Amino acid sequence: MNLPNVLTSIRFLLIPVYIVIFASGHMIPAFLIVVAAGVTDVLDGYIARRYGQVTTVGVMLDPLADKLMLITVIVSLLVAGHLSWMAAGAMFLRDLGMIAGGLTVHFRKKQAIPANWLGKLTTVLFYAVLMLIFFQSPIAHACLWFVIALSYVATLVYIASYRSMNYAAAGKPPAEL
């Protein structure tokens, strides 16, 4: 297991730590756990690309760790009343779709699409909006809806890239993939 995969594993371990801290009512330390998860995400991606340590396992587990952390945060904020059902539902729908899509790609043995700049931007903006929510900013929910919309655009870009790349690899029209 290389360093980027170790950092991804740490992100999985931070999920129950976040739950315990958030459930005890410590909003700022809980937010700092979310930030720590974000930092491990940035570091593992940088190290993997910079030092040629990108692995098939890492390409699959990295976004899964991100999505599970984000889903955990969404549920906790929803249960605590800091997030609307509609916003949570929109984020769940997208993230569960991304997880299902990633698993489908893996089990069909198709080539996965690594994160692009729009996906990375969306992730950074989600963390910024989470900060606004954790600190109860009056503009948090308006910003959240903007980032949700952007995340759906990023998803459409991923789907188009996936279809295009696998179309080229298979030599088939996109409708046959």
Side-chain angles (χ1 to χ4, degrees):
M1 182 178 281
N2 63 18
L3 181 57
N5 290 345
V6 169
L7 291 170
T8 297
S9 299
I10 289 170
R11 210 156 50 255
F12 281 109
L13 296 174
L14 287 175
I15 294 170
V17 173
Y18 166 82
I19 292 169
V20 168
I21 291 172
F22 185 88
S24 18
H26 299 95
M27 293 292 279
I28 293 173
F31 176 71
L32 293 175
I33 294 296
V34 175
V35 170
V39 168
T40 66
D41 185 26
V42 169
L43 283 176
D44 77 41
Y46 173 77
I47 293 168
R49 284 185 297 282
R50 174 83 165 105
Y51 297 102
Q53 296 183 3
V54 176
T55 64
T56 304
V57 170
V59 168
M60 189 176 91
L61 290 181
D62 179 66
L64 181 61
D66 296 342
K67 298 305 168 213
L68 289 176
M69 176 57 94
L70 188 58
I71 288 169
T72 301
V73 172
I74 293 167
V75 168
S76 67
L77 291 172
L78 177 65
V79 169
H82 299 296
L83 198 60
S84 73
W85 280 98
M86 284 185 61
M91 289 187 288
F92 277 138
L93 181 64
R94 186 223 175 226
D95 287 338
L96 292 175
M98 293 292 285
I99 290 169
L103 291 172
T104 300
V105 166
H106 175 72
F107 288 118
R108 286 187 174 181
K109 303 205 184 308
K110 298 286 186 179
Q111 189 171 353
I113 303 292
N116 64 25
W117 71 270
L118 186 56
K120 291 177 185 181
L121 174 63
T122 302
T123 300
V124 168
L125 291 176
F126 263 125
Y127 281 104
V129 167
L130 287 175
M131 180 182 68
L132 295 175
I133 293 170
F134 272 90
F135 291 99
Q136 300 177 351
S137 167
I139 63 166
H141 293 282
C143 292
L144 176 63
W145 281 107
F146 170 77
V147 175
I148 289 170
L150 187 62
S151 74
Y152 276 87
V153 170
T155 300
L156 293 174
V157 169
Y158 278 116
I159 291 168
S161 297
Y162 166 79
R163 289 178 57 89
S164 175
M165 184 174 64
N166 283 289
Y167 163 74
K172 297 179 182 178
E176 293 181 29
L177 289 178

